[in-house]
Amino acid sequence: MRIIFMGTPEFAVASLDALIKAGCDIVAVVTAPDKPAGRGKKLSESAVKQYAVENGIKVLQPEKLRDPEFLEKLRSLKAELQVVVAFRMLPEVVWNMPYRGTINLHASLLPQYRGAAPINWVLINGEKESGVTTFFLSHEIDTGNVLFTEKVTLTGHETAGELHDRLMNKGAGLLVKTVKGIESGRYNVHLQSALLDGDGVELKHAPKIFKEDCLIDWMQPAESIYNKIRGLSPYPAAYTLLNDKILKIYRSEFEIVEPGIQPGGFLTDNKTYLKFAAQDGYVYLTEVQLEGKKQMDIGAFLRGVKL
């Protein structure tokens, strides 16, 4: 079965590698154009492109997905199936091209957490489970018929970076299962509406995260702030202001106790701990980065700063 793979970041590379190792016929990859990066503005290739070049796979990098020249190249490859992992929204003229359709791997248990940042939001919201889903693309983003899902239990302590790696590997295996199922015809499709647990179930969304979403509101409960910190770690990172400088917080702990100071105030021994008051307790910062400084544990941070 001739397959075109579409993806850009490291998350997608695990899936592409798994498909190659499973013997799938990847006739080309479609990925983002090279972009200037770093101080020297040297052109940087996507992780998917680097993998494809190393493995002798044809690479297409269209600026615009509706470009007639790109569409003609796509048609000429005569793919039976297109596979999308962490790419961008496709126009219908692209996703409707192969006769077996186009499938997508999404890092949540659809229909929950549709959108650009499912890994972040599932942790920010303190969920007990997450997972990966494969589905056929359709007109509305992340709404197509579901093929397969696989759940993972959350510990309540993992960061977005750690969950990213778990789901990246879990998703790669699920994608191979999905492609093999389509190839053999052994699969069922499920309407997303039929996967909801019951009437009135709230759909939770996973929109793109902006800088203003990362500012900590110390009036919130301590556990909510703790979940926000781990849900945004390591990127883009939750932050607060300390002496008028941005302090990014990568790891923390919390305790529920009557705080003796106003929310947003902090206590420290200037050696081993720095804790901020929240609505119903304290959040202990354990790994931080002050504006203009390196990321470090709280002990090293306190040795280098006067509070």
Side-chain angles (χ1 to χ4, degrees), residues 190-265:
H190 309 273
L191 293 173
Q192 289 198 28
S193 57
L195 297 174
L196 293 172
D197 292 333
D199 293 336
V201 174
E202 178 192 2
L203 272 181
K204 297 171 184 175
H205 299 282
K208 185 177 179 180
I209 291 171
F210 297 94
K211 185 177 180 180
E212 54 266 30
D213 300 316
C214 302
L215 178 63
I216 293 172
D217 176 5
W218 296 107
M219 294 297 293
Q220 294 295 310
E223 186 173 9
S224 295
I225 294 169
Y226 165 78
N227 286 335
K228 180 169 187 166
I229 289 167
R230 65 192 185 91
L232 295 173
S233 176
Y235 182 82
Y239 72 93
T240 190
L241 293 177
L242 185 66
N243 298 335
D244 296 323
K245 288 190 173 182
I246 290 174
L247 181 69
K248 291 183 177 180
I249 308 167
Y250 296 97
R251 292 187 186 272
S252 66
E253 297 171 1
F254 73 96
E255 66 172 342
I256 304 301
V257 63
E258 185 65 39
I261 57 176
Q262 290 294 312

Coordinates of all heavy atoms in Angstrom, one line a residue, residues 190-265:
H190 N -16.0 4.5 14.1 CA -16.9 4.9 15.2 C -17.2 6.4 15.1 O -16.2 7.2 15.1 CB -16.4 4.6 16.6 CG -15.9 3.2 16.7 ND1 -16.7 2.1 17.0 CD2 -14.7 2.6 16.5 CE1 -16.0 1.0 17.0 NE2 -14.8 1.3 16.7
L191 N -18.4 6.8 15.0 CA -18.7 8.3 15.1 C -18.3 8.8 16.5 O -18.5 8.2 17.5 CB -20.2 8.5 15.0 CG -20.9 8.2 13.6 CD1 -22.4 8.3 13.7 CD2 -20.3 9.1 12.6
Q192 N -17.7 10.0 16.5 CA -17.2 10.5 17.7 C -18.3 10.8 18.7 O -18.2 10.6 19.9 CB -16.4 11.8 17.5 CG -15.0 11.6 16.9 CD -14.1 12.7 17.0 OE1 -14.2 13.5 17.9 NE2 -13.2 12.9 16.0
S193 N -19.5 11.2 18.2 CA -20.7 11.4 19.1 C -21.1 10.1 19.8 O -21.6 10.2 20.9 CB -21.8 11.9 18.2 OG -22.2 11.0 17.2
A194 N -20.8 9.0 19.2 CA -21.2 7.7 19.8 C -20.2 7.3 20.9 O -20.4 6.4 21.7 CB -21.2 6.6 18.8
L195 N -19.0 8.0 21.0 CA -18.0 7.6 22.0 C -18.1 8.4 23.3 O -17.4 8.1 24.2 CB -16.6 7.9 21.4 CG -16.3 7.0 20.2 CD1 -14.9 7.5 19.6 CD2 -16.2 5.6 20.5
L196 N -19.1 9.4 23.3 CA -19.3 10.1 24.6 C -20.0 9.2 25.6 O -20.8 8.3 25.2 CB -20.1 11.3 24.3 CG -19.5 12.4 23.5 CD1 -20.4 13.5 23.1 CD2 -18.3 13.0 24.2
D197 N -19.6 9.3 26.9 CA -20.1 8.4 27.9 C -21.6 8.5 28.2 O -22.2 7.6 28.7 CB -19.3 8.6 29.2 CG -17.9 8.2 29.0 OD1 -17.6 7.3 28.2 OD2 -17.0 8.7 29.8
G198 N -22.2 9.6 27.8 CA -23.6 9.8 28.1 C -24.1 11.2 27.7 O -23.3 12.0 27.3
D199 N -25.4 11.4 27.9 CA -26.0 12.7 27.5 C -25.4 13.8 28.5 O -25.2 13.5 29.7 CB -27.5 12.7 27.7 CG -28.1 11.8 26.6 OD1 -27.5 11.5 25.6 OD2 -29.2 11.3 26.8
G200 N -25.2 14.9 27.9 CA -24.7 16.0 28.7 C -23.3 16.0 29.1 O -22.8 16.8 30.0
V201 N -22.5 15.1 28.5 CA -21.0 15.1 28.8 C -20.4 16.3 28.3 O -20.6 16.7 27.1 CB -20.4 13.8 28.2 CG1 -18.9 13.8 28.4 CG2 -21.0 12.6 28.9
E202 N -19.6 17.0 29.1 CA -18.9 18.2 28.7 C -17.7 17.9 27.8 O -16.9 17.1 28.1 CB -18.4 19.0 29.9 CG -17.7 20.2 29.5 CD -16.9 20.8 30.7 OE1 -17.0 20.2 31.8 OE2 -16.3 21.9 30.5
L203 N -17.7 18.5 26.6 CA -16.6 18.4 25.7 C -15.5 19.4 26.1 O -15.7 20.6 26.2 CB -17.0 18.6 24.3 CG -17.5 17.5 23.4 CD1 -17.8 17.9 22.0 CD2 -16.5 16.3 23.4
K204 N -14.3 18.9 26.4 CA -13.2 19.7 26.8 C -12.3 19.9 25.5 O -12.0 19.0 24.8 CB -12.4 19.1 27.9 CG -13.3 19.0 29.2 CD -12.6 18.2 30.2 CE -13.5 17.9 31.4 NZ -12.9 17.1 32.4
H205 N -11.8 21.2 25.4 CA -11.0 21.5 24.2 C -9.6 21.8 24.5 O -9.2 22.0 25.7 CB -11.7 22.7 23.5 CG -13.1 22.5 23.1 ND1 -13.4 21.8 21.9 CD2 -14.3 22.8 23.7 CE1 -14.7 21.7 21.8 NE2 -15.3 22.3 22.8
A206 N -8.8 21.8 23.5 CA -7.3 22.0 23.7 C -6.8 23.0 22.7 O -6.0 22.7 21.8 CB -6.6 20.6 23.4
P207 N -7.2 24.3 22.9 CA -6.7 25.3 21.9 C -5.2 25.6 22.1 O -4.6 25.3 23.1 CB -7.6 26.5 22.4 CG -7.9 26.3 23.8 CD -8.0 24.8 23.9
K208 N -4.7 26.3 21.1 CA -3.3 26.7 21.1 C -3.1 27.6 22.3 O -3.9 28.3 22.8 CB -3.0 27.5 19.8 CG -1.6 27.9 19.7 CD -1.4 28.7 18.4 CE 0.1 29.1 18.2 NZ 0.4 29.8 17.0
I209 N -1.9 27.4 22.9 CA -1.5 28.2 24.2 C -0.7 29.4 23.8 O 0.3 29.3 23.1 CB -0.8 27.2 25.1 CG1 -1.8 26.2 25.6 CG2 -0.2 28.0 26.3 CD1 -1.1 25.1 26.4
F210 N -1.1 30.5 24.4 CA -0.4 31.8 24.2 C 0.3 32.2 25.5 O 0.0 31.7 26.6 CB -1.3 32.9 23.7 CG -2.0 32.5 22.4 CD1 -3.2 31.9 22.3 CD2 -1.3 32.9 21.2 CE1 -3.8 31.6 21.1 CE2 -1.8 32.6 20.0 CZ -3.1 31.9 19.9
K211 N 1.2 33.2 25.4 CA 2.0 33.6 26.6 C 1.1 34.0 27.7 O 1.4 33.7 28.9 CB 2.9 34.8 26.2 CG 3.8 35.1 27.4 CD 4.8 36.2 27.0 CE 5.7 36.6 28.2 NZ 6.7 37.6 27.9
E212 N 0.0 34.7 27.4 CA -0.9 35.2 28.5 C -1.6 34.0 29.2 O -2.0 34.1 30.4 CB -2.0 36.1 28.0 CG -2.8 35.6 26.8 CD -2.3 36.0 25.4 OE1 -1.0 36.2 25.3 OE2 -3.1 36.1 24.5
D213 N -1.6 32.8 28.6 CA -2.2 31.7 29.3 C -1.2 31.1 30.3 O -1.6 30.3 31.2 CB -2.5 30.5 28.2 CG -3.5 31.0 27.2 OD1 -4.5 31.6 27.6 OD2 -3.3 30.7 26.0
C214 N 0.0 31.5 30.2 CA 1.1 30.9 31.1 C 1.3 31.6 32.4 O 2.0 31.1 33.3 CB 2.4 30.8 30.3 SG 2.3 29.9 28.8
L215 N 0.7 32.8 32.5 CA 0.9 33.6 33.7 C 0.1 33.0 34.9 O -1.1 32.7 34.7 CB 0.4 35.0 33.5 CG 0.5 36.0 34.7 CD1 1.9 36.1 35.2 CD2 -0.1 37.3 34.4
I216 N 0.7 32.7 36.0 CA 0.0 32.1 37.1 C -0.8 33.1 37.9 O -0.4 34.2 38.2 CB 1.1 31.5 38.1 CG1 1.8 30.3 37.4 CG2 0.5 31.0 39.4 CD1 3.0 29.8 38.2
D217 N -2.0 32.7 38.2 CA -3.0 33.4 39.0 C -2.9 32.8 40.4 O -3.5 31.7 40.6 CB -4.4 33.4 38.4 CG -5.4 34.1 39.3 OD1 -5.0 34.7 40.3 OD2 -6.6 34.0 39.0
W218 N -2.3 33.4 41.4 CA -2.1 32.9 42.7 C -3.4 32.9 43.5 O -3.4 32.3 44.6 CB -1.0 33.6 43.5 CG 0.4 33.4 42.8 CD1 1.0 34.4 42.1 CD2 1.2 32.3 42.8 NE1 2.2 33.9 41.6 CE2 2.3 32.6 42.0 CE3 1.0 31.0 43.3 CZ2 3.3 31.6 41.8 CZ3 2.0 30.1 43.1 CH2 3.2 30.4 42.3
M219 N -4.5 33.4 43.0 CA -5.8 33.3 43.7 C -6.4 32.0 43.4 O -7.4 31.6 44.1 CB -6.7 34.4 43.2 CG -6.3 35.9 43.5 SD -6.2 36.2 45.3 CE -8.0 36.1 45.7
Q220 N -5.8 31.2 42.5 CA -6.4 29.9 42.2 C -6.0 28.9 43.3 O -5.0 29.1 44.1 CB -5.9 29.4 40.9 CG -6.3 30.2 39.7 CD -7.8 30.1 39.5 OE1 -8.4 29.0 39.5 NE2 -8.5 31.2 39.4
P221 N -6.7 27.7 43.4 CA -6.3 26.7 44.4 C -4.9 26.2 44.1 O -4.4 26.1 42.9 CB -7.3 25.6 44.1 CG -8.5 26.2 43.5 CD -7.9 27.4 42.7
A222 N -4.2 25.7 45.1 CA -2.8 25.3 45.0 C -2.6 24.1 44.0 O -1.7 24.1 43.2 CB -2.2 24.9 46.4
E223 N -3.6 23.2 44.0 CA -3.4 22.0 43.1 C -3.6 22.4 41.7 O -3.0 21.9 40.8 CB -4.4 20.9 43.5 CG -4.3 19.7 42.7 CD -5.1 18.5 43.2 OE1 -6.0 18.7 44.0 OE2 -4.9 17.4 42.7
S224 N -4.5 23.4 41.4 CA -4.7 23.9 40.1 C -3.5 24.5 39.5 O -3.1 24.4 38.4 CB -5.9 24.9 40.0 OG -7.1 24.2 40.4
I225 N -2.8 25.3 40.4 CA -1.6 26.0 40.0 C -0.5 24.9 39.7 O 0.3 25.0 38.7 CB -1.1 27.0 41.0 CG1 -2.1 28.1 41.1 CG2 0.3 27.5 40.7 CD1 -1.9 29.0 42.3
Y226 N -0.4 23.9 40.6 CA 0.5 22.8 40.4 C 0.3 22.1 39.1 O 1.2 21.8 38.3 CB 0.4 21.8 41.6 CG 1.0 20.5 41.4 CD1 2.4 20.3 41.5 CD2 0.2 19.4 41.1 CE1 3.0 19.0 41.4 CE2 0.8 18.1 40.9 CZ 2.2 17.9 41.1 OH 2.7 16.7 40.9
N227 N -1.0 21.8 38.7 CA -1.3 21.2 37.5 C -0.9 22.1 36.3 O -0.5 21.6 35.2 CB -2.8 20.8 37.4 CG -3.1 19.6 38.3 OD1 -2.3 18.8 38.6 ND2 -4.4 19.6 38.7
K228 N -1.1 23.4 36.4 CA -0.8 24.3 35.3 C 0.7 24.3 35.1 O 1.2 24.3 33.9 CB -1.2 25.7 35.7 CG -0.9 26.7 34.6 CD -1.6 28.0 34.9 CE -1.5 29.0 33.7 NZ -2.4 30.1 33.8
I229 N 1.5 24.3 36.2 CA 3.0 24.3 36.0 C 3.4 23.0 35.3 O 4.2 23.1 34.3 CB 3.6 24.4 37.4 CG1 3.4 25.8 38.0 CG2 5.1 24.0 37.3 CD1 3.7 25.9 39.5
R230 N 2.9 21.8 35.7 CA 3.4 20.6 35.0 C 2.8 20.5 33.6 O 3.5 20.0 32.7 CB 3.1 19.4 35.8 CG 1.7 19.0 36.1 CD 1.5 18.0 37.2 NE 0.1 17.6 37.3 CZ -0.4 16.6 36.6 NH1 0.3 15.8 35.8 NH2 -1.7 16.3 36.8
G231 N 1.6 21.1 33.4 CA 1.0 21.0 32.1 C 1.7 21.9 31.0 O 1.5 21.8 29.8
L232 N 2.5 22.9 31.5 CA 3.2 23.8 30.6 C 4.7 23.6 30.6 O 5.5 24.4 30.1 CB 2.9 25.3 31.0 CG 1.4 25.7 30.8 CD1 1.2 27.1 31.4 CD2 1.0 25.6 29.3
S233 N 5.2 22.5 31.3 CA 6.6 22.2 31.4 C 7.0 21.1 30.5 O 6.3 20.1 30.4 CB 6.9 21.8 32.8 OG 8.3 21.5 33.0
P234 N 8.1 21.3 29.7 CA 9.1 22.4 29.7 C 8.7 23.5 28.8 O 9.5 24.5 28.9 CB 10.3 21.7 29.2 CG 9.8 20.7 28.2 CD 8.5 20.2 28.8
Y235 N 7.7 23.4 28.0 CA 7.4 24.5 27.1 C 5.9 24.7 26.9 O 5.2 23.7 26.9 CB 8.0 24.2 25.7 CG 7.8 25.3 24.7 CD1 8.7 26.4 24.7 CD2 6.7 25.3 23.8 CE1 8.4 27.5 23.8 CE2 6.5 26.3 22.9 CZ 7.4 27.4 22.9 OH 7.2 28.4 22.0
P236 N 5.4 25.9 26.9 CA 6.1 27.2 27.0 C 6.5 27.6 28.4 O 7.2 28.6 28.5 CB 5.1 28.2 26.4 CG 3.8 27.6 26.7 CD 4.0 26.1 26.6
A237 N 6.1 26.9 29.4 CA 6.5 27.2 30.8 C 5.6 28.2 31.5 O 5.4 29.3 31.0 CB 7.9 27.5 31.0
A238 N 5.0 27.8 32.6 CA 4.2 28.7 33.5 C 5.2 29.7 34.1 O 6.4 29.4 34.3 CB 3.5 28.0 34.6
Y239 N 4.7 30.9 34.4 CA 5.6 31.9 35.0 C 4.9 32.9 35.9 O 3.7 33.0 35.9 CB 6.3 32.7 33.9 CG 5.4 33.7 33.2 CD1 5.3 35.1 33.6 CD2 4.7 33.3 32.1 CE1 4.5 36.0 32.9 CE2 3.8 34.2 31.4 CZ 3.8 35.6 31.8 OH 2.9 36.4 31.2
T240 N 5.7 33.5 36.8 CA 5.2 34.6 37.7 C 6.2 35.7 37.6 O 7.3 35.5 37.0 CB 5.0 34.0 39.1 OG1 4.3 35.0 39.9 CG2 6.3 33.7 39.8
L241 N 5.9 36.8 38.3 CA 6.9 37.9 38.3 C 7.6 37.9 39.7 O 6.9 37.7 40.7 CB 6.2 39.2 38.1 CG 5.7 39.4 36.7 CD1 5.0 40.8 36.6 CD2 6.8 39.3 35.6
L242 N 8.9 38.0 39.7 CA 9.7 38.1 40.9 C 10.6 39.2 40.8 O 11.5 39.2 39.9 CB 10.4 36.8 41.2 CG 11.2 36.6 42.5 CD1 10.2 36.6 43.7 CD2 12.0 35.4 42.5
N243 N 10.4 40.3 41.7 CA 11.3 41.5 41.6 C 11.2 42.1 40.2 O 12.2 42.5 39.6 CB 12.7 41.2 42.0 CG 12.8 40.8 43.4 OD1 11.9 41.1 44.3 ND2 13.9 40.0 43.8
D244 N 10.0 42.1 39.6 CA 9.8 42.6 38.3 C 10.4 41.9 37.1 O 10.6 42.4 36.0 CB 10.2 44.1 38.2 CG 9.3 45.0 39.1 OD1 8.1 44.7 39.2 OD2 9.9 45.9 39.7
K245 N 10.9 40.7 37.4 CA 11.5 39.8 36.4 C 10.6 38.6 36.2 O 10.0 38.1 37.1 CB 12.9 39.4 36.7 CG 13.9 40.6 36.6 CD 15.3 40.1 36.7 CE 16.3 41.2 36.4 NZ 17.7 40.7 36.5
I246 N 10.6 38.0 35.0 CA 9.9 36.8 34.7 C 10.6 35.6 35.3 O 11.8 35.4 35.1 CB 9.7 36.6 33.2 CG1 8.7 37.6 32.6 CG2 9.2 35.2 32.9 CD1 8.6 37.6 31.1
L247 N 9.9 34.8 36.1 CA 10.4 33.6 36.7 C 9.6 32.4 36.2 O 8.4 32.3 36.5 CB 10.3 33.7 38.3 CG 10.8 32.4 39.0 CD1 12.3 32.3 38.9 CD2 10.4 32.4 40.4
K248 N 10.2 31.7 35.3 CA 9.6 30.5 34.8 C 9.7 29.3 35.8 O 10.7 29.2 36.4 CB 10.2 30.1 33.4 CG 9.9 31.0 32.3 CD 10.5 30.5 31.0 CE 10.2 31.4 29.8 NZ 10.8 30.9 28.5
I249 N 8.6 28.6 35.9 CA 8.6 27.5 36.8 C 8.3 26.2 36.1 O 7.3 26.0 35.4 CB 7.4 27.7 37.9 CG1 7.6 29.1 38.5 CG2 7.5 26.6 39.0 CD1 6.3 29.5 39.3
Y250 N 9.3 25.2 36.3 CA 9.2 24.0 35.5 C 8.7 22.8 36.4 O 8.1 21.9 35.9 CB 10.6 23.6 35.0 CG 11.1 24.6 34.0 CD1 11.9 25.7 34.3 CD2 10.6 24.5 32.7 CE1 12.3 26.6 33.4 CE2 11.1 25.5 31.7 CZ 11.9 26.5 32.1 OH 12.3 27.4 31.2
R251 N 9.0 22.8 37.7 CA 8.6 21.8 38.6 C 8.2 22.4 39.9 O 8.8 23.4 40.3 CB 9.6 20.7 38.8 CG 9.9 19.9 37.6 CD 10.8 18.7 37.8 NE 11.2 18.0 36.6 CZ 10.5 17.0 36.1 NH1 9.4 16.6 36.7 NH2 10.9 16.4 35.0
S252 N 7.2 21.8 40.6 CA 6.8 22.3 41.9 C 6.1 21.2 42.7 O 5.9 20.1 42.2 CB 5.7 23.4 41.7 OG 4.5 22.9 41.1
E253 N 5.8 21.5 43.9 CA 5.0 20.7 44.8 C 4.0 21.6 45.5 O 4.1 22.8 45.4 CB 5.9 20.0 45.9 CG 6.9 19.1 45.3 CD 8.0 18.6 46.3 OE1 7.8 18.9 47.5 OE2 8.9 17.8 45.9
F254 N 3.0 21.0 46.1 CA 2.0 21.8 46.8 C 1.5 21.2 48.1 O 1.7 20.0 48.3 CB 0.8 22.1 45.9 CG -0.1 20.9 45.7 CD1 -1.3 20.8 46.4 CD2 0.1 19.9 44.7 CE1 -2.1 19.7 46.3 CE2 -0.7 18.8 44.6 CZ -1.8 18.7 45.3
E255 N 1.0 22.0 49.0 CA 0.4 21.6 50.2 C -0.9 22.4 50.5 O -0.9 23.6 50.2 CB 1.3 21.6 51.4 CG 1.7 23.0 51.8 CD 2.5 23.1 53.1 OE1 2.5 22.1 53.9 OE2 3.2 24.1 53.4
I256 N -1.9 21.7 50.9 CA -3.1 22.3 51.3 C -3.1 22.7 52.8 O -3.0 21.8 53.6 CB -4.4 21.4 51.0 CG1 -4.3 21.0 49.5 CG2 -5.7 22.1 51.3 CD1 -4.4 22.1 48.5
V257 N -3.1 23.9 53.1 CA -2.9 24.4 54.5 C -3.4 25.9 54.5 O -3.4 26.5 53.4 CB -1.5 24.3 55.0 CG1 -0.5 25.2 54.1 CG2 -1.4 24.6 56.4
E258 N -3.9 26.3 55.6 CA -4.3 27.7 55.7 C -3.1 28.6 55.5 O -2.2 28.7 56.4 CB -4.9 28.0 57.0 CG -5.5 29.4 57.2 CD -6.7 29.7 56.2 OE1 -7.5 28.8 56.0 OE2 -6.8 30.8 55.7
P259 N -3.0 29.4 54.4 CA -1.8 30.2 54.2 C -1.8 31.4 55.1 O -2.8 32.0 55.3 CB -1.9 30.6 52.7 CG -3.3 30.5 52.4 CD -3.9 29.5 53.2
G260 N -0.6 31.7 55.7 CA -0.6 32.8 56.6 C -0.3 34.1 56.0 O -0.3 35.2 56.6
I261 N -0.2 34.1 54.6 CA 0.0 35.4 53.9 C -1.0 35.4 52.7 O -1.6 34.4 52.4 CB 1.5 35.5 53.4 CG1 1.8 34.3 52.5 CG2 2.4 35.6 54.6 CD1 3.2 34.4 51.9
Q262 N -1.1 36.6 52.1 CA -2.0 36.8 51.0 C -1.5 36.0 49.7 O -0.3 35.8 49.5 CB -2.0 38.3 50.6 CG -2.7 39.1 51.6 CD -4.2 38.8 51.7 OE1 -4.9 38.7 50.7 NE2 -4.7 38.6 52.9
P263 N -2.5 35.5 48.9 CA -2.1 34.8 47.7 C -1.1 35.7 46.8 O -1.4 36.9 46.7 CB -3.4 34.6 47.0 CG -4.4 34.5 48.1 CD -3.9 35.5 49.1
G264 N -0.1 35.0 46.3 CA 0.9 35.7 45.6 C 2.1 36.2 46.4 O 3.2 36.4 45.8
G265 N 2.0 36.2 47.7 CA 3.1 36.4 48.6 C 4.0 35.2 48.7 O 3.5 34.1 48.4

